[in-house]
Amino acid sequence: MEWMAIIGNSVQYIEEHITEELSADSIAKAVNVSSFYFQKGFAMLCGFTVSEYIRNRRLALAGNDLATTDERVIDIALKYGYDSPDSFTKAFTRFHGVTPLSVRREGVLLKSFAPLKIKFSLEGGYLMDYKIENKEAFTVLGNAKTFPYEGAGKLVPQFWQEHFASGKGAVVMGTYGVNIDETMGKETFEYLIADPYVAGQAVPEGFVVKTIPAFTWAVFPCVGPMPKALQDINTRIYTEWLPALKEYEFAAGYCMEYYDDPGKYEKGTSDDKYYCEIWIPVKKK
């Protein structure tokens, strides 16, 4: 229930400050939780990122203001955080499908986007397998790229496709997917497609070496075709395991994905029996 309360409080905070400067960091601070895990938890539980939610709420409210008041377009744009009429018009048109000026014409339809209402529902006694493991620090060789949190669910799978299409799979097969945000509060994170690194091994151009610190990890097994099976487990971590978490809390801005050898399965990573894991660093409360 703790995480449900955090998300509920964050939505209330956003609504109360919707015309003020808002960021994931400021909202996380207001609800007393790490920005890093607030952003991840919000996206998993709500289905869109914090910034997407704020943008959609502002544009919906801006549409209502245009339709029901005589305020100038520029004043409404500034009210909801847009520095220029052009940027407001582009965002407004993408969201509503009509320009701000056209709203005051009779018969124009606008899109609504209501505030989130968080409800906790009991849907049966789910069994979610996990184990707690202590792992020493280890080093990986990887193909690294920085991603924004917004849209990462689509961008990271594309990165994997590009990795193998470019021939880099001959160097790094992808034993691990490594998420790193050491400050636990940025708008972006670093992601590596990686393999274990052997000391003294030459580092080919375009690749990097990273040391993963020693942690106590919560390890979640995952069986099924990629990427859906992994994404489903990731969602369940935030919607089932995390709300019930009593003994542990997240320890650092790392998340590891371990992938079994696809060659062991008839359909590779698309096989119904394909095995992988998600590792999250934790510490005792």
Side-chain angles (χ1 to χ4, degrees):
M1 286 295 292
E2 180 184 358
W3 260 88
M4 295 300 181
I6 287 171
I7 298 301
N9 290 341
S10 71
V11 169
Q12 181 178 345
Y13 182 85
I14 290 168
E15 292 302 313
E16 292 173 351
H17 299 82
I18 195 67
T19 59
E20 303 170 21
E21 185 174 346
L22 284 170
S23 68
D25 287 351
S26 64
I27 300 165
K29 184 177 181 180
V31 296
N32 196 31
V33 69
S34 155
S35 178
F36 175 74
Y37 286 110
F38 168 66
Q39 291 181 78
K40 295 193 73 173
F42 191 99
M44 291 296 174
L45 288 167
C46 303
F48 30 72
T49 66
V50 180
S51 59
E52 286 175 318
Y53 177 76
I54 294 170
R55 181 172 63 249
N56 289 347
R57 282 293 297 138
R58 284 174 169 169
L59 289 170
L61 290 169
N64 183 71
D65 287 358
L66 283 166
T68 60
T69 74
D70 294 326
E71 288 184 76
R72 296 186 305 163
V73 172
I74 182 60
D75 293 333
I76 293 174
L78 292 171
K79 178 181 178 180
Y80 292 108
Y82 290 88
D83 295 331
S84 71
D86 285 345
S87 62
F88 176 66
T89 297
K90 289 177 182 178
F92 190 94
T93 304
R94 281 196 301 268
F95 182 79
H96 288 286
V98 295
T99 65
L101 289 175
S102 69
V103 169
R104 287 172 172 153
R105 299 173 189 163
E106 186 177 351
V108 172
L109 297 176
L110 295 172
K111 291 182 180 178
S112 64
F113 188 84
L116 283 169
K117 292 184 178 180
I118 306 299
K119 294 181 179 180
F120 180 72
S121 61
L122 296 175
E123 300 180 352
Y126 290 111
L127 290 176
M128 189 166 188
D129 294 331
Y130 74 96
K131 56 186 176 181
I132 302 295
E133 289 189 357
N134 293 314
K135 296 181 183 289
E136 296 297 325
F138 62 99
T139 306
V140 297
L141 171 70
N143 179 14
K145 191 171 183 178
T146 299
F147 293 96
Y149 282 107
E150 186 171 335
K154 293 181 179 179
L155 295 174
V156 171
Q158 290 174 5
F159 181 44
W160 278 87
Q161 294 174 0
E162 293 166 3
H163 174 80
F164 289 106
S166 67
K168 290 184 176 180
V171 179
V172 168
M173 289 298 298
T175 304
Y176 302 111
V178 187
N179 297 259
I180 303 174
D181 181 356
E182 292 181 340
T183 65
M184 297 174 68
K186 295 181 179 179
E187 295 295 324
T188 61
F189 65 97
E190 185 178 28
Y191 186 89
L192 284 77
I193 300 172
D195 282 345
Y197 174 71
V198 178
Q201 175 185 355
V203 179
E205 184 177 354
F207 291 84
V208 298
V209 171
K210 292 276 186 179
T211 297
I212 310 302
F215 285 121
T216 298
W217 300 86
V219 178
F220 300 85
C222 174
V223 177
M226 295 293 104
K228 186 178 185 302
L230 191 75
Q231 292 172 343
D232 287 348
I233 288 293
N234 211 12
T235 299
R236 289 187 63 193
I237 289 171
Y238 281 89
T239 57
E240 298 172 28
W241 184 75
L242 185 57
L245 195 60
K246 302 298 182 184
E247 298 179 13
Y248 293 94
E249 62 185 359
F250 289 115
Y254 284 79
C255 178
M256 298 287 297
E257 303 152 7
Y258 163 77
Y259 297 99
D260 200 6
D261 179 4
K264 294 163 57 176
Y265 302 86
E266 182 179 352
K267 297 181 181 179
T269 59
S270 298
D271 199 279
D272 289 339
K273 296 181 179 180
Y274 183 72
Y275 180 82
C276 62
E277 295 173 345
I278 294 177
W279 306 353
I280 294 176
V282 294
K283 61 183 178 182
K284 287 275 190 177
K285 287 186 176 180

